Amino acid sequence: MMNIRLHRISRRALHAAAGCAFLLACTLAAQTAPIKLDTGKNASARELWGAQQLRQALAAVRQPPSGARIVVGLRTAPQMARFKDLPAFWPQAEEAFHIQQVGNTWVIAGSDPSGVLYGELELADRIRSSGALPTGIDDTEHPALRLRGVCIGMQKQEITYDGAEYDYLYTPKNFPFFYDKAGWIKYLDMLAEERYNSLYLWNGHPFTSLLRLPKYPEAQELPTAQLEQNIAMFKWLTAEADKRGIWILQGFYNIHLSHTFARAHHLPYHLATPNPIASAYTRYVISEFIREYPHAGLMMTLGEALSPHYGAEWLTKTIIPGVKDGLKEAGITTEPPIVVRAHATDIDTVMKEARPLYSNIDTMFKWNGESLTWTNVRGSVRARFQMLSEDSNVAISNVHLMSNLEPFRWGDPDFVRETLANYPRIGIQGLHLYPLRYWDWPYSGDNTDPRLMQTARDWIWFASWGRYAWNPFRDPQKEHAYWVAQFAQRFGSAQAGEKLLDAYTLAGPCQPSLLPRIGITEGNRQALTLGMTMPQLIDPDRFNPAQTLWTGDGPPGERLAEYVAEEVRHQPHHGQTPIGVSDETVQSSQQALAAAQAAAPYVTQDKAEYQRIVNDMRAIALLMQFYNAKVKAAEQILLYGYDHDAAHLQQADTLLALSVDRFSELTRVAGPAYITATGMETSQRRIPFPGGMHNYPNWQQCLPMYQKELATFRKRRAALLSGKPVQKTAVVQTFPQVAFTLKPGAGQLFTVEKGAQLFQDGPAVIDNLAPELAGMKGIRIARRRGGALTFDLAQPAQILVGFQADGSGKSSVLDPETEQWNLLMLNAVGSPRAPAMAVWAKPLPAGENQLDMGRGDYVVLGFIPADYHVTPHVNFTAADNGSGPVNLDWLFE
């Protein structure tokens, strides 16, 4: 009877048996008649590449049956006609294959060329495992997910090109790996082995690195010789990927322009508002890309630079027409998929307006934000995925950045399997997977010489997501044996494999489960590995918390303030609790370290990597102990806010000191092991401290800050207990300003001061103002009209914008969960009968810039230097009347 399965049996474990026996098998095989392999006359390049892999595996067949042969091809191919009993594939079958022994012939039939390829790879795996053709095989397989992809960032750790975010030219200096054909072959072979079928390359504006643009010679940014090398390289890459069933997609952001083109036309590098010049240019470069690279695809981020309310207009009037122009010029009559991210745009309106014009649109949405926090999603996050699955061809889950996992090794197969098992239940049909250190590809963050390659260090990351994207519905016991074999292959014994798998699976849930209970955000603003300050734990609202972290990307449960409130009221808790989860992570991480250490007697291979694994497990255990002590210290501070019992402060002192001790030990363990703790080193990182190569890139720079926090607490606690008056706020200084010039168009200059009119078209005036903002040079808008503000900056700066909150406390204009904006101050600007304004900041490069937030209640309050740090805080001159509970942040700042 035919056995229909979603996936093959233990693919990479099959390689383990080859070993030294491979050479002997080759000798024996040479003494017998070779096994014939028939691919038919019209086999595609994809089928022929798979046949090549199969031929190499056939050398391991020790005693081939007499007259044995293999026939491969599409189910409808002529060579399949004589096999009458082969099952037919269902009408919409994609990448499916059937392998069956018919007498002394092994038949591989595919629903399409990719199906043939995967069938060839499957049979090759089985042959390498056993040294023989599988007797009696009769199996059908097909993938659970239609798109199974990984990504590479054609981007750097720091902003380097004219101060423009995401824009990097393709050159040997910026991306030497791009020109390494041998490296690409090895990487593409790995992807094919794991059955990935898509590869996304991310860049802000890649077109001038990959295209000749004769219509716009002023757009050329590279020397002609370099451009020609890039074009040849990209064509080679897309062809090699296509042989392996891999679809290359080039990502781009909107509206980003060629920098030379922008300067020639007196435009900013990035536009917030469409204009005819930018539209004509973008439409042209997209059509040229489609024409030049028919095997490649496009993935676009409509937002970030472009204001969200223009996304639908830009897609329907510029991008889709450009795609259609390119298809027409290339003579292609079928619409290839284009991928539209749901990030930083009004995706509902985008899809409603775009689908009638272009039917083959896939969408992409972040899974767990920019971290890995749970095996499921709920609430608004789940609803968004379900909407996308209904409105698009394929809804793709973007497993993005893993900000809470880096820099340590991570590979919990059970966590990955459970996650991907939930995808079909939600309606998700695609996976887009980031590497664990995206910004520094192809290297890991380990401080080694030579640098470690991510594909080698993080093999289990790529293998587990690929394996379970093909089929997540596997027997857990068989999967355990599979992964033990994988570790055994690398470290020399099954005993080592068992212990190391235990270590990975025990450590796996620690960082994911902790973040939703205590963190500020699942975005790249937070580096969990570098810790958190006490104000961030006890007063997270100051730091723009992303509520979907615990309402959508984590299981039901309580945050720390909720937990303490329930304790005080003696009420039962619901779901997970911060203290409970933290205690569990301490126990699990210590068990993971013990399991890793117990493997030592059995490790006979790659002992250097084994020691690095043990060091990572020790670091994770110390990190969990640091958080456990600090969260419990924060609990005591919050309890003090209710009853003012000084005993809570004493307990907090003991616990906070313990947390500093654990962080000191973490610094000793992890500091020398890693070049930087995080991959992204820009000002976007804010938690626990401002990011940047020279601003807290490592534990060594953060430790003194935590020691200072403890010393400050002890000083403030002593003063509080002495009964002497305590100054709770520091002397306030006005912000330094960056000069700017407002260009003609929307907006009006004004001085930010009490009594000043807030908007051009209304009577609202400022009656409450944070002292830091007094005297700033700002720009007010007509809130009923909105419009694009265009201005020149004398130097790189942070724009300060005040937003009024709606009834839910959120801005009516700004999406606070985008990583571009940072919250600086609450209650900063007040006017009669209107909600108070909070101040948000966004970094901008020097020169011409645009801002267009549409219509709404916001005002530009000025510009401060790009490197000027403002700790998020509340304007107490407006918010604190001296009554009620003591504001507790002052104890630490």
Side-chain angles (χ1 to χ4, degrees):
M1 179 179 293
M2 182 179 66
N3 176 26
I4 298 181
R5 304 179 306 152
L6 278 172
H7 193 41
R8 56 217 180 280
I9 298 174
S10 304
R11 266 183 319 100
R12 287 211 292 176
L14 306 178
H15 295 288
C20 296
F22 184 77
L23 293 176
L24 176 61
C26 293
T27 303
L28 293 172
Q31 298 171 358
T32 60
I35 299 172
K36 295 181 179 179
L37 177 57
D38 179 9
T39 61
K41 294 181 179 180
N42 299 311
S44 65
R46 200 169 292 179
E47 296 167 64
L48 293 175
W49 186 84
Q52 179 184 353
Q53 313 313 304
L54 183 53
R55 285 192 178 94
Q56 293 173 2
L58 288 174
V61 177
R62 291 185 282 271
Q63 293 182 337
S66 176
R69 61 183 310 196
I70 300 173
V71 178
V72 304
L74 299 177
R75 179 63 184 85
T76 56
Q79 65 268 29
M80 296 294 170
R82 63 183 179 277
F83 302 107
K84 305 295 186 183
D85 294 332
L86 287 181
F89 292 108
W90 50 102
Q92 272 71 49
E94 295 180 1
E95 301 180 307
F97 66 83
H98 181 77
I99 305 176
Q100 183 176 339
Q101 181 183 357
V102 182
N104 64 350
T105 300
W106 278 256
V107 182
I108 303 173
S111 62
D112 48 37
S114 287
V116 176
L117 165 66
Y118 292 135
E120 292 166 328
L121 295 179
E122 173 66 19
L123 186 57
D125 282 341
R126 298 202 184 195
I127 291 170
R128 290 190 186 99
S129 173
S130 64
L133 288 164
T135 303
I137 188 171
D138 186 4
D139 286 353
T140 295
E141 296 185 27
H142 64 91
L145 299 184
R146 294 172 62 187
L147 287 176
R148 307 171 303 282
V150 295
C151 78
I152 289 176
M154 302 297 289
Q155 295 171 337
K156 308 289 285 183
Q157 290 180 278
E158 297 181 278
I159 298 172
T160 60
Y161 186 32
D162 292 337
E165 194 173 31
Y166 302 135
D167 292 352
Y168 302 89
L169 296 174
Y170 292 16
T171 66
K173 179 181 178 181
N174 281 342
F175 306 110
F177 68 84
F178 182 71
Y179 304 90
D180 179 5
K181 288 187 176 181
W184 276 118
I185 291 294
K186 186 176 181 180
Y187 179 65
L188 294 173
D189 285 352
M190 181 203 77
L191 297 184
E193 180 185 359
E194 304 299 347
R195 297 193 185 174
Y196 288 106
N197 66 359
S198 45
L199 169 60
Y200 303 77
L201 303 179
W202 286 60
N203 189 267
H205 188 73
F207 302 109
T208 53
S209 291
L210 298 173
L211 295 170
R212 308 174 194 91
L213 300 172
K215 185 176 178 180
Y216 295 103
E218 71 274 25
Q220 184 167 329
E221 296 184 279
L222 292 174
T224 300
Q226 182 63 68
L227 179 59
E228 293 298 331
Q229 182 187 12
N230 289 357
I231 292 171
M233 190 68 209
F234 198 73
K235 286 185 174 180
W236 174 87
L237 176 61
T238 55
E240 286 296 324
D242 189 65
K243 287 180 188 176
R244 295 161 175 80
I246 299 167
W247 181 35
I248 300 279
L249 295 97
Q250 179 62 66
F252 65 101
Y253 282 73
N254 292 274
I255 301 173
H256 288 211
L257 302 174
S258 154
H259 290 203
T260 56
F261 176 88
R263 288 193 291 267
H265 294 272
H266 308 290
L267 294 170
Y269 302 137
H270 299 169
L271 293 175
T273 306
N275 71 41
I277 296 174
S279 179
Y281 167 79
T282 303
R283 177 172 178 170
Y284 172 70
V285 298
I286 288 174
S287 70
E288 286 296 287
F289 184 88
I290 296 291
R291 183 186 60 79
E292 190 76 28
Y293 304 109
H295 294 301
L298 288 171
M299 175 195 69
M300 65 208 68
T301 302
L302 291 175
E304 293 212 6
L306 182 67
S307 295
H309 51 283
Y310 291 118
E313 174 188 338
W314 188 248
L315 178 60
T316 57
K317 295 183 179 180
T318 297
I319 293 176
I320 288 176
V323 171
K324 290 185 173 182
D325 291 345
L327 294 175
K328 183 177 179 180
E329 293 176 23
I332 299 172
T333 57
T334 57
E335 293 181 347
I338 58 174
V339 179
V340 179
R341 295 182 66 203
H343 172 71
T345 196
D346 180 359
I347 193 63
D348 298 309
T349 302
V350 165
M351 294 303 294
K352 180 180 179 181
E353 296 187 16
R355 283 301 294 271
L357 302 177
Y358 198 90
S359 61
N360 203 357
I361 300 177
D362 299 337
T363 53
M364 181 184 292
F365 189 53
K366 292 176 182 176
W367 178 267
N368 295 168
E370 296 179 342
S371 295
L372 193 63
T373 57
W374 192 25
T375 58
N376 209 340
V377 290
R378 62 191 180 97
S380 63
V381 178
R382 190 181 190 95
R384 170 61 66 205
F385 272 117
Q386 291 172 333
M387 184 280 290
L388 294 175
S389 70
E390 294 170 0
D391 291 350
S392 58
N393 183 34
V394 176
I396 304 167
S397 165
N398 179 1
V399 180
H400 194 91
L401 283 180
M402 276 60 67
S403 301
N404 63 326
L405 303 184
E406 61 180 354
F408 306 122
R409 288 155 179 78
W410 193 94
D412 180 353
D414 292 340
F415 192 105
V416 174
R417 178 171 49 81
E418 291 170 18
T419 298
L420 289 168
N422 280 318
Y423 279 20
R425 298 165 186 154
I426 297 169
I428 297 170
Q429 293 183 294
L431 167 71
H432 169 286
L433 180 72
Y434 267 63
L436 285 174
R437 192 175 174 89
Y438 169 82
W439 298 99
D440 200 15
W441 183 264
Y443 302 112
S444 75
D446 297 77
N447 188 15
T448 61
D449 186 14
R451 298 279 302 275
L452 298 183
M453 305 297 285
Q454 291 191 55
T455 49
R457 191 200 87 148
D458 299 324
W459 62 271
I460 194 171
W461 175 259
F462 297 105
S464 58
W465 287 96
R467 179 174 179 82
Y468 297 126
W470 182 272
N471 174 23
F473 305 107
R474 300 170 179 270
D475 184 298
Q477 291 185 343
K478 292 181 180 179
E479 289 307 291
H480 180 88
Y482 172 82
W483 292 111
V484 167
Q486 296 304 303
F487 277 101
Q489 179 183 348
R490 287 164 175 79
F491 296 98
S493 70
Q495 296 95 325
E498 190 76 47
K499 298 296 183 183
L500 290 173
L501 176 61
D502 284 348
Y504 271 69
T505 53
L506 285 164
C510 291
Q511 295 123 296
S513 62
L514 184 63
L515 185 66
R517 302 278 67 90
I518 66 168
I520 298 296
T521 177
E522 69 271 65
N524 61 25
R525 286 187 298 121
Q526 177 164 4
L528 185 71
T529 189
L530 293 178
M532 293 175 67
T533 67
M534 285 295 283
Q536 289 161 1
L537 287 168
I538 64 177
D539 190 12
D541 286 348
R542 275 178 48 190
F543 301 88
N544 180 29
Q547 293 187 13
T548 52
L549 171 60
W550 60 91
T551 63
D553 292 320
E558 297 172 353
R559 299 276 286 174
L560 188 58
E562 294 176 84
Y563 173 83
V564 172
E566 298 293 3
E567 286 285 294
V568 170
R569 293 193 293 263
H570 304 290
Q571 295 297 311
H573 297 288
H574 63 278
Q576 294 183 342
T577 68
I579 303 300
V581 167
S582 183
D583 286 343
E584 290 170 5
T585 65
V586 168
Q587 181 180 10
S588 188
S589 61
Q590 288 176 329
Q591 291 173 343
L593 174 59
Q597 292 172 323
Y602 311 109
V603 174
T604 60
Q605 298 171 194
D606 205 352
K607 292 186 177 182
E609 175 62 12
Y610 165 70
Q611 291 299 331
R612 289 189 287 265
I613 292 173
V614 172
N615 200 68
D616 272 7
M617 296 300 165
R618 182 176 289 110
I620 292 170
L622 288 167
L623 181 64
M624 295 302 105
Q625 292 168 32
F626 159 81
Y627 274 114
N628 189 253
K630 197 153 192 176
V631 168
K632 290 179 178 178
E635 176 194 18
Q636 293 301 314
I637 295 296
L638 290 173
L639 286 170
Y640 174 80
Y642 280 94
D643 60 18
H644 305 288
D645 185 346
H648 293 308
L649 299 182
Q650 176 58 56
Q651 293 181 59
D653 186 298
T654 302
L655 290 163
L656 190 58
L658 178 60
S659 76
V660 173
D661 178 71
R662 291 296 178 265
F663 199 88
S664 177
E665 183 68 9
L666 172 63
T667 301
R668 186 189 67 79
V669 169
Y674 285 96
I675 299 169
T676 58
T678 59
M680 186 187 75
E681 298 299 341
T682 73
S683 61
Q684 295 298 93
R685 182 159 55 78
R686 311 297 293 184
I687 310 295
F689 308 110
M693 275 298 187
H694 307 293
N695 291 328
Y696 311 103
N698 258 324
W699 302 271
Q700 296 93 314
Q701 289 76 33
C702 296
L703 177 59
M705 302 299 291
Y706 294 131
Q707 292 168 331
K708 179 182 177 181
E709 183 181 60
L710 175 61
T712 300
F713 172 64
R714 285 176 167 170
K715 179 180 177 181
R716 299 281 171 80
R717 172 175 170 255
L720 181 66
L721 296 179
S722 71
K724 297 178 181 178
V726 179
Q727 181 179 343
K728 299 180 183 179
T729 57
V731 177
V732 176
Q733 295 182 339
T734 57
F735 290 147
Q737 300 198 52
V738 170
F740 71 95
T741 302
L742 179 64
K743 293 197 167 185
Q748 181 185 66
L749 295 174
F750 80 109
T751 299
V752 180
E753 58 189 358
K754 287 185 178 180
Q757 185 178 340
L758 265 179
F759 307 105
Q760 287 180 268
D761 58 351
V765 296
I766 299 173
D767 70 347
N768 243 318
L769 182 67
E772 298 96 319
L773 298 170
M776 296 288 286
K777 186 179 180 182
I779 307 171
R780 55 192 168 205
I781 65 160
R783 57 181 176 176
R784 295 184 184 88
R785 277 200 319 272
L789 304 178
T790 306
F791 46 87
D792 274 325
L793 291 173
Q795 67 186 67
Q798 302 174 65
I799 184 173
L800 305 183
V801 181
F803 294 96
Q804 285 186 344
D806 61 17
S808 66
K810 293 294 183 181
S811 163
S812 59
V813 177
L814 177 70
D815 177 4
E817 293 169 9
T818 65
E819 63 267 30
Q820 292 225 313
W821 291 88
N822 298 306
L823 178 62
L824 296 190
M825 196 186 317
L826 298 171
N827 299 310
V829 180
S831 61
R833 297 181 300 278
M837 281 186 166
V839 177
W840 299 72
K842 176 182 177 180
L844 295 174
E848 187 171 323
N849 287 271
Q850 273 193 344
L851 179 76
D852 187 346
M853 305 301 297
R855 292 176 293 178
D857 297 336
Y858 70 94
V859 59
V860 176
L861 296 167
F863 300 85
I864 61 176
D867 58 357
Y868 187 76
H869 174 58
V870 180
T871 299
H873 61 285
V874 179
N875 171 34
F876 290 113
T877 61
D880 189 358
N881 59 13
S883 62
V886 176
N887 179 275
L888 304 170
D889 296 4
W890 68 272
L891 287 168
F892 305 95
E893 296 178 329

